[in-house]
Amino acid sequence: MKLLHGLRLATAFALLIPAHMASAETAPATATKAAQTPWLYENSDVPVDASWTFGVLDNGLRYAVKKNVVPAGQISIRVRVDAGALHEEDNELGFAHLMEHLAFRGSEHVPDGEAKRIWQRFGVTFGSDSNAQTTPTQTVYKLDLPNSSPATLDESLKILAGMVRAPNISESALNAERAIVQAELRESAGAGMDLGEAMRRHAFQGQRLADRSTIGSIESLDSASAAGLKEFHRRWYRPEKIVVSIAGDAEPAELERLVRQHFGGWTGQGKPVADPDFGKPDPKGMVAKTVVAPTLPPNVALIYARPWEKVADTIAYNEQLLVDALAQQIVNRRLVTQARAGSTFSVAEVGQEDISRSADTTTVIITPIGDNWQQAVRDVRAIIEDAISTPPSQADIDRELALFGNALRTMRDSYPFEAAAKQADDIVKAVDIRETIAAPDTVVAVYENMRDKFTPERLFAATKALFAADAVRILRTTPVDDGADADVRLAKALTDSVSAASSVRLAGNAITFDDLPKLGEPAKVVARNPLPRFEMESVELSNGVRALLFPNKSESGQVRVLVRFGSGYQAVDPAKGALFWSGPGIISESGIGKYSRTQIEQLINGRRIELGFTVDNDAFEFTAATRPEDLVDQLRLIVAKMENPNWDSAPLEREKALAIAGYRSFDMSATAVLQRELQYRLSGNDLRWKIPTPDEVRKVDAKAFRAFWEPLLASGPVEVLLFGDFETEKAVDALQNTVGAMKPRSTAAISQKASQVVFPAANAKPLRFTHKGPKDQMAAVIGWPTGAGLAQISEARQLEVLAALFRDRLFEKFRSEQAASYSPDATATWPDEFASGGFLMAYSQMQPKDSERFFTFAKSVAADLAATPVSKDELQRALEPILQYVERSTTGNLFWMNELEGATYNAARYEVLGRLYSDYSKVTPEQLQALARKYLVSEKAWTMVVEPEADAVASR
């Protein structure tokens, strides 16, 4: 059952813890095989999700279709091929992924490279709306078709069917796409990929997965031939190996008709081929492996591997999955409690996953603090030893059951407005793991009917099974080679006896909301102003707090909360902003008053109450998604945090350890250096956006942290945005009694320096940095200053279209034609909260020999955009995806909240939002040419490169 399986894999990490038209093909009429039990539910007693329609064509192709109007007008199509890297022979490494690229390039219905252009005209954004993914076990072609019509849907399914049935596998197409895949491999290469390879080879010794990298190698790609790819296609691209999953704004009967029309006439060539044997974990393999990676943080992975087995996806099986997930979460709760309190490790986390139908694994990832990794491993193993030596208490179980109930209710509440794309993906994932899907009501029913089965004895047995394995291995990443006996010491750390650490078991929660610091007297409402154009209302309270309310049912059962205060990045002059990096990670992890984060988590256990913290350009923000019944306490908790922050040094020391350990990873590749340097350099070396060095991090103590953040957390003004499912009068009352009970906050003046971001001056030669990754990997950036502020926001939106045109020309030339880069890009940034600092930027990875070619071409694109108006077709292909993105975004509360934050203090935001669509849709080629002339001035261009160090090694 897909949703329950997802809980087992992701609950602990994602839910329970607060980190590659005009006409239609006429096909023979194809009957659908009648079956009482849909194909996905064979051999299962899981209730069928009746919102889906399932069928099997006579040629064996299976499909599932569903009407889903989120977002309105969109249809999400997934075509899954049951073949991935594990289906390749030794002389075919990388073929599954290469086949994916060839299918997108051209097919029987589409000339070379034309599918992208057709879909752009339909409003499809390449890379996000149209893409594909190859894994060890499958290849999935994805299309999210916005604002679909019968013609565009018919044409799109015809194209997708042709891509999998008859891709253009010619020597010329292969040569072109091989170079692009090799560019993708080159740009992905580095320490991160090397570690992934090492982990895969070590964890899956003796199995097929150990020797199957999805992307292949330079050598295997060089040896690929059109004949070889055709044979791979013949073996695995067969109708009985295909699943088509479609969810979107169309009737299921019409979707079924189109699947029959476009896929029904297809027959496989030759006899079907059985899947290869993926193998089982080898108990006799090497136990310990040390990987020396100078540009990676130290880490240790404990791996417990068991054979993967196909299961009967029954209710009983899924009940056990929930028990397993709860057992895993109890251990993770203890690990995070120990890390927060101060320990030898900053992070330790247990995860269970069935990997590539090759092994059922439990993995424990440990990030040690400092050099004492051995003690960190012992401390984590001691916590595990306690979990497998002594059953959990009923209090342990009840605590996690409350979180489970909250997670399941959230899933059920969210299902009516769950995106069609996710639901189409869910079918694909279920097929891949050979399980089913279930409606959230079914999942909740399973949970409620087994509440009495979560006993200490059953949880204890599940915990012991979690760490029982046929093969147990350990892998360590270290930045320095620390001796020939490293593997011996590593193996010893895995097998040395440890004493159970029972001290990390949580005591019963003793605090309630009444124990939190008391709030002041409620405020009075001094103004209420309806905003009929947006169906919103603004409210002003007597203590100066302002609020914007948007009650609506677009996300039934959910309320989005945004509390903004102070001036964000503009609160501090650039020269004094060096500690902004520390806020989000530490403030959200610290407690309230005298209570720790762990105690606060126990306080809100089982309820949907969150406490995220971010820094925006013009405000500090606490964010949450809550339920109507939890809204009052959600606001109360935020207010308690704002007025009574906790200054315990433990979260600071933990964040410092993570920052110090992770800093070396910024040297591992060209893109990693860009992540470290680019925003800082584009802001004219503004310290507000500087990633600190380890020495700078070490100098930050609790006193300095508090001196920086305490006045900022106490600053004003305060604005609250409530968007979602709530009753207005109840919300106003909640505001009066929470944020209204705060002490009035003064608003500090913003200095001229703080209100500006200074784009760097033009340079005759690029600003140069080096990386420690592969020697054939380089990155280059070119940017031009533009503008900022809200007054000229129409120009900012037109610049986004100009950037889309720039991006598409880079893609067509630098990737599709020249294969010099896999992912060239261009973007426009216009900070409407600042007085300056906007830019249009183009960037790409490439081999060092191609950097000048990139700059020459980018400058020629800029010059041509300024000299010649773009054609109507080129404009449509750039503009339509932007318009469709806007239309889809407006269906959710998050879009409106992001656009209107700050509006209660700056009413111009209402006006500029009102013309958002027209600012894009009415742009003309002449306007874009004028913008290019105004901003893409060669004398103002700033450039930067990241090149390999002299002693770098080549990509594999």
Side-chain angles (χ1 to χ4, degrees), residues 83 87-89 91-92 95-96 99 102 167 169-171 174 224-238 268-273:
H87 296 79
E88 300 163 349
E89 297 301 326
N91 63 342
E92 297 176 328
F95 275 28
M99 180 63 64
L102 286 167
I169 309 176
S170 64
E171 288 296 340
L174 172 59
S225 66
L229 268 297
K230 288 178 180 178
E231 172 57 23
F232 183 87
H233 181 270
R234 184 198 66 78
R235 287 203 315 272
W236 302 117
Y237 277 60
R238 308 173 56 89
Q269 301 177 34
K271 294 181 179 180
V273 178

Side-chain angles (χ1 to χ4, degrees), residues 276-287:
D277 183 358
F278 295 169
K280 297 180 178 181
D282 182 4
K284 299 179 181 179
M286 181 174 63
V287 171

Side-chain angles (χ1 to χ4, degrees), residues 468-686:
D470 294 37
V472 181
R473 300 192 169 100
I474 185 169
L475 183 142
R476 173 185 167 226
T477 309
T478 174
V480 295
D481 189 338
D482 54 2
D485 64 338
D487 287 350
V488 175
R489 287 184 284 115
L490 187 59
K492 191 172 185 296
L494 178 65
T495 57
D496 276 350
S497 61
V498 294
S499 299
S502 59
S503 60
V504 296
R505 294 191 174 218
L506 290 178
N509 184 30
I511 72 168
T512 67
F513 271 87
D514 290 338
D515 295 312
L516 293 178
K518 304 303 180 185
L519 302 182
E521 291 298 315
K524 295 180 180 179
V525 176
V526 298
R528 293 182 67 165
N529 299 303
L531 301 164
R533 181 180 183 183
F534 298 104
E535 299 181 347
M536 300 177 187
E537 181 179 3
S538 65
V539 178
E540 185 174 354
L541 303 179
S542 56
N543 66 342
V545 172
R546 299 184 185 183
L548 183 62
L549 309 184
F550 183 23
N552 65 85
K553 297 288 186 179
S554 68
E555 296 173 334
S556 179
Q558 176 171 278
V559 184
R560 294 190 182 273
V561 180
L562 177 62
V563 178
R564 313 178 81 240
F565 61 97
S567 303
Y569 282 114
Q570 298 185 61
V572 177
D573 281 356
K576 299 178 180 178
L579 286 187
F580 271 123
W581 66 269
S582 63
I586 298 170
I587 291 172
S588 60
E589 274 293 301
S590 60
I592 295 174
K594 64 182 181 180
Y595 300 116
S596 69
R597 174 61 186 257
T598 297
Q599 289 175 296
I600 298 301
E601 283 187 354
Q602 291 178 266
L603 168 67
I604 62 177
N605 189 43
R607 304 177 66 184
R608 194 172 183 189
I609 297 178
E610 303 169 355
L611 203 61
F613 178 76
T614 59
V615 182
D616 204 351
N617 284 344
D618 61 342
F620 304 103
E621 299 178 344
F622 281 106
T623 60
T626 188
R627 294 191 179 90
E629 61 267 29
D630 289 329
L631 177 59
V632 173
D633 283 340
Q634 174 68 77
L635 289 169
R636 188 176 176 186
L637 193 75
I638 292 174
V639 170
K641 176 71 173 180
M642 291 172 65
E643 296 212 312
N644 303 273
N646 177 288
W647 302 108
D648 180 19
S649 62
L652 171 62
E653 295 306 317
R654 186 183 182 208
E655 186 72 13
K656 286 169 62 177
L658 288 169
I660 291 169
Y663 189 81
R664 57 170 53 91
S665 65
F666 289 121
D667 281 330
M668 71 178 177
S669 67
T671 53
V673 173
L674 288 181
Q675 290 171 1
R676 184 189 70 206
E677 297 290 341
L678 190 56
Q679 187 172 15
Y680 174 52
R681 304 300 172 178
L682 286 171
S683 64
N685 298 352
D686 193 317

